[in-house]
């Protein structure tokens, strides 16, 4: 089954016919909110708002382990995550949708693994390709069918937040090879890998990163919210097609 983890600006899927909601519990605590079970284009999916349904949970306090664990327990094997980012690369301007293919972790102090005791056998998640190539392809194909431009590939820099970045930090991420910056990519991507789920991210550029474009003296949160709201309409229609293809694969 496929799950969608929604980020800022995506706390619900308009066309999801919700069949039931369920509060989940895990050995790691509670997920960000009740799971929304429902039908999207006649396909069963689970939706979860990463920051809670009132957008109250900041990126560093999201219980990523509980979110992924509870999804896995419900039989989820594919996760499409939606995340807003700041654009570092020149062509990643506000409103652009991009499907990253690599990630760098700058977060700290988050519960970043399920292997955190000394008494269970551990394995080393193979993070060479952090995002599922197959699921990425499906998202890109769906975007083409929906006729919404969507860029293929880019390096996501995952920062600690919840503050935004300094210009020097963005310059450093750029030197490191990052194309976009966001606060929720890690440990979510790695935890999905530890649970052997296929995971990919639809990143929505909502602002120029600090020091770039119109963000030379700061980032307007008002613009961020307007851009996110507009872009999420396109993201929703892409997701509806991703769900369709899941079914075709299973036939
Ligand atoms: N920096 C970090 N995270 C973000 C940004 C940003 O500019 N925009 C959206 N998420």
């Amino acid at each position: 089954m496929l799950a969608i983890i929604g980020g800022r600006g995506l706390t619900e899927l308009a066309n999801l016919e919700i069949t039931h909601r369920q509060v989940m519990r895990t050995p790691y605590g509670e997920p960000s909110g009740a799971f929304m079970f429902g039908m999207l284009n006649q396909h069963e999916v689970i939706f979860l708002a990463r920051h809670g349904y009132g957008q109250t949970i900041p990126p560093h306090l999201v219980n990523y382990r509980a979110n992924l664990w509870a999804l896995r327990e419900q039989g989820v094997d594919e996760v499409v995550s939606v995340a807003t980012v700041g654009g570092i690369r020149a062509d990643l301007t506000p409103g652009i949708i991009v499907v990253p293919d690599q990630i760098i972790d700058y977060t700290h102090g988050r519960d970043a693994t399920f292997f955190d005791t000394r008494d269970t056998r551990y394995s080393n998640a193979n993070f060479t390709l952090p995002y599922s190539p197959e699921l990425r392809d499906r998202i890109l194909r769906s975007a083409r069918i929906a006729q919404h431009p969507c860029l293929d590939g880019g390096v996501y820099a995952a920062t600690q937040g919840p503050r935004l970045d300094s210009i020097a930090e963005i310059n450093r991420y750029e030197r490191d090879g990052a194309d976009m910056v966001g606060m929720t990519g890690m440990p979510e991507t790695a935890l999905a890998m530890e649970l052997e789920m296929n995971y990919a991210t639809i990143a929505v550029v909502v602002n120029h990163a600090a020091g770039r474009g119109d963000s030379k003296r700061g980032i307007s949160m008002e613009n961020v919210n307007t851009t996110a709201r507009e872009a999420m309409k396109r993201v929703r229609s892409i997701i509806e097609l991703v769900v369709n293809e899941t079914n075709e694969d299973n036939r």
Side-chain angles (χ1 to χ4, degrees), residues 14-166:
N15 292 335
L16 178 67
E17 297 161 40
I18 296 172
T19 52
H20 62 291
R21 293 158 221 260
Q22 201 175 322
V23 174
M24 301 289 169
R25 293 192 206 297
T26 78
Y28 306 98
E30 281 188 25
S32 297
F35 282 7
M36 302 289 165
F37 291 80
M39 303 300 285
L40 190 62
N41 255 349
Q42 285 134 48
H43 305 290
E44 207 184 351
V45 301
I46 297 177
F47 178 82
L48 173 67
R50 184 186 288 111
H51 300 286
Y53 295 98
Q55 299 256 333
T56 53
I57 310 170
H60 62 297
L61 295 182
V62 170
N63 192 338
Y64 297 96
R65 291 198 301 186
N67 288 351
L68 274 299
W69 186 269
L71 288 174
R72 192 79 187 103
E73 280 210 320
Q74 292 304 309
V76 168
D77 54 3
E78 295 188 308
V79 178
V80 172
S81 94
V82 180
T84 56
V85 294
I88 301 176
R89 207 171 74 201
D91 61 330
L92 295 185
T93 54
I96 292 281
I97 298 175
V98 52
V99 181
D101 63 345
Q102 282 292 328
I103 189 164
I104 303 176
D105 188 6
Y106 299 98
T107 67
H108 49 85
R110 301 184 180 188
D111 291 321
T113 177
F114 291 106
F115 302 115
D116 65 343
T117 66
R118 294 175 193 226
D119 48 28
T120 50
R121 280 187 81 86
Y122 70 92
S123 65
N124 304 102
N126 190 337
F127 213 45
T128 309
L129 300 175
Y131 300 101
S132 156
E134 190 278 325
L135 190 51
R136 288 187 67 259
D137 280 351
R138 200 151 14 114
I139 293 167
L140 291 162
R141 226 170 20 248
S142 300
R144 270 197 300 277
I145 296 168
Q147 300 191 317
H148 293 311
C150 183
L151 299 182
D152 178 1
V155 178
Y156 178 115
T159 63
Q160 178 68 4
R163 65 167 178 82
L164 290 159
D165 325 278
S166 71

Side-chain angles (χ1 to χ4, degrees), residues 84-86 159 164-165 181-183 206-210 219:
T84 56
V85 294
T159 63
L164 290 159
D165 325 278
V181 57
M183 302 175 193
V206 289
N207 59 277
H208 288 282
I219 289 163

